[in-house]
Amino acid sequence: MIDRLEFLLALSREHHFGRAAQSCGVSQPTLSAGIKALEDTMGAMLVERGSRFRGFTPEGLRVLDWARRIVGDARAMRQEIDALKRGLSGTLRIAVIPTALGITPQLTTAFRARNPDVRFSIRTCTSTEVLKLVDDLAVEAGVTYLDNEPLGRVGTVPLYRERYHLITATDSPAGRLAAITWADAARLPLCLLTPDMQNRRIIDRMLKAADADAAPVLESNSVSVLSAHVRTTGWSTIMPAGLARALGLVGDGRISAIPLTGPDMSHEVGLVAPHREPMMPLTAALFTEVRRLVAAGRLSPGVSDRHDRKS
């Protein structure tokens, strides 16, 4: 039963029979047979039939909800027994929005110091994907926005507030400013994240509030692409200054982080995990470590809000 419920979760995550089977380490016929056996047990169709995945039936959605609880409990039980026998071990999987990458090493380094037998798997994705992965138990935790769009039923720990800066060449006219308005920043040749990223949706709202339009010359879903373009000093971008520092953009005197004003707003970024008691041991240990770091004031997005330029 647990294996069949795992198949259902994989199908929810991948929306493709072949990829779901691959993620479970079985053949597609085995996955299909397992889901059919689950349907026979439940006495109801759970998956819309067709040559491709078409979605879940109403009964399938309810079974999927129960599957998350049951599989989560089973995994938590196995983790707890393993921890009692051998101490905390295994792989801690964390999904992170791109703009929060700068905080990730602080979390993993502190956690590993206390739990040396734990490995990590970090993946970057949109805020929507973070919550989906958390919901489907594909990761133990996520780092995403807490106060901008609905989160659903998750446990949270606030980490820091994300503030936005214009990242531009220091020797440009804007690079010498102590601050710049959103409207003035919109007139520059900007490269921004794609609209499916929540950070971009935040930026679009801020520009609209300043009666300016987001018309970037270049869009990408990769912060590395934005970083590479800004390094040429011919492009500018808008991102949290902490991310710019993590990417090595600011600090050498060539690129500056200029605070954006009018409006001046920030958004809270935090740790999220499935809302369940008891938590899985790996997740519980991560939450404990993060709360300790927050209480000690040892978490920082990487750079202050002031004009950051090498003196």
Side-chain angles (χ1 to χ4, degrees), residues 17-190:
F17 288 101
R19 290 196 300 268
Q22 186 177 18
S23 72
C24 293
V26 301
S27 67
Q28 184 171 331
T30 298
L31 180 132
S32 296
I35 290 177
K36 180 64 170 62
L38 187 59
E39 290 178 323
D40 292 341
T41 299
M42 297 298 167
M45 286 186 60
L46 306 179
V47 179
E48 297 285 356
R49 287 292 183 264
S51 58
R52 297 181 179 181
F53 176 75
R54 294 180 178 177
F56 294 98
T57 64
E59 295 85 356
L61 291 173
R62 290 301 299 141
V63 172
L64 187 61
D65 191 33
W66 280 102
R68 294 184 180 110
R69 304 183 207 181
I70 294 168
V71 171
D73 284 342
R75 291 184 186 177
M77 179 179 64
R78 286 194 294 265
Q79 277 191 19
E80 189 166 338
I81 298 305
D82 286 343
L84 288 173
K85 291 190 299 183
R86 294 185 289 271
L88 206 59
S89 61
T91 300
L92 179 57
R93 301 166 299 174
I94 307 174
V96 185
I97 55 173
T99 60
L101 287 173
I103 203 77
T104 307
Q106 300 175 50
L107 304 180
T108 55
T109 302
F111 188 91
R112 185 173 181 271
R114 293 178 181 268
N115 305 281
D117 293 329
V118 173
R119 301 179 300 277
F120 302 90
S121 175
I122 309 295
R123 59 189 296 180
T124 60
C125 47
T126 68
S127 57
T128 301
E129 291 169 339
V130 169
L131 296 177
K132 175 66 172 171
L133 291 169
V134 167
D135 201 31
D136 283 340
L137 306 180
V139 296
E140 277 67 47
V143 177
T144 188
Y145 297 101
L146 300 185
D147 60 357
N148 192 53
E149 294 180 355
L151 294 177
R153 296 184 72 252
V154 293
T156 65
V157 177
L159 299 178
Y160 65 92
R161 296 202 68 85
E162 184 178 86
R163 290 178 170 82
Y164 310 102
H165 290 62
L166 174 71
I167 311 301
T168 193
T170 301
D171 60 5
S172 69
R176 298 293 179 179
L177 300 175
I180 189 171
T181 66
W182 285 87
D184 287 339
R187 300 187 183 98
L188 300 174
L190 294 175

Side-chain angles (χ1 to χ4, degrees), residues 246-265:
L247 293 171
L249 285 174
V250 295
D252 65 357
R254 296 176 64 245
I255 306 293
S256 294
I258 314 299
L260 283 155
T261 62
D264 184 9
M265 189 175 293

Side-chain angles (χ1 to χ4, degrees), residues 188-269:
L188 300 174
L190 294 175
C191 48
L192 299 175
L193 289 172
T194 48
D196 62 317
M197 298 288 186
Q198 190 174 162
N199 173 262
R200 172 60 185 281
R201 296 195 293 273
I202 290 172
I203 289 173
D204 286 350
R205 284 197 293 271
M206 301 290 275
L207 290 171
K208 185 176 181 180
D211 293 325
D213 293 325
V217 182
L218 180 146
E219 294 178 324
S220 175
N221 64 353
S222 168
V223 293
S224 296
V225 171
L226 303 188
S227 174
H229 280 76
V230 172
R231 287 180 193 280
T232 69
T233 69
W235 301 71
S236 301
T237 191
I238 294 173
M239 65 172 59
L243 177 61
R245 171 58 62 84
L247 293 171
L249 285 174
V250 295
D252 65 357
R254 296 176 64 245
I255 306 293
S256 294
I258 314 299
L260 283 155
T261 62
D264 184 9
M265 189 175 293
S266 63
H267 287 278
E268 194 164 50
V269 174

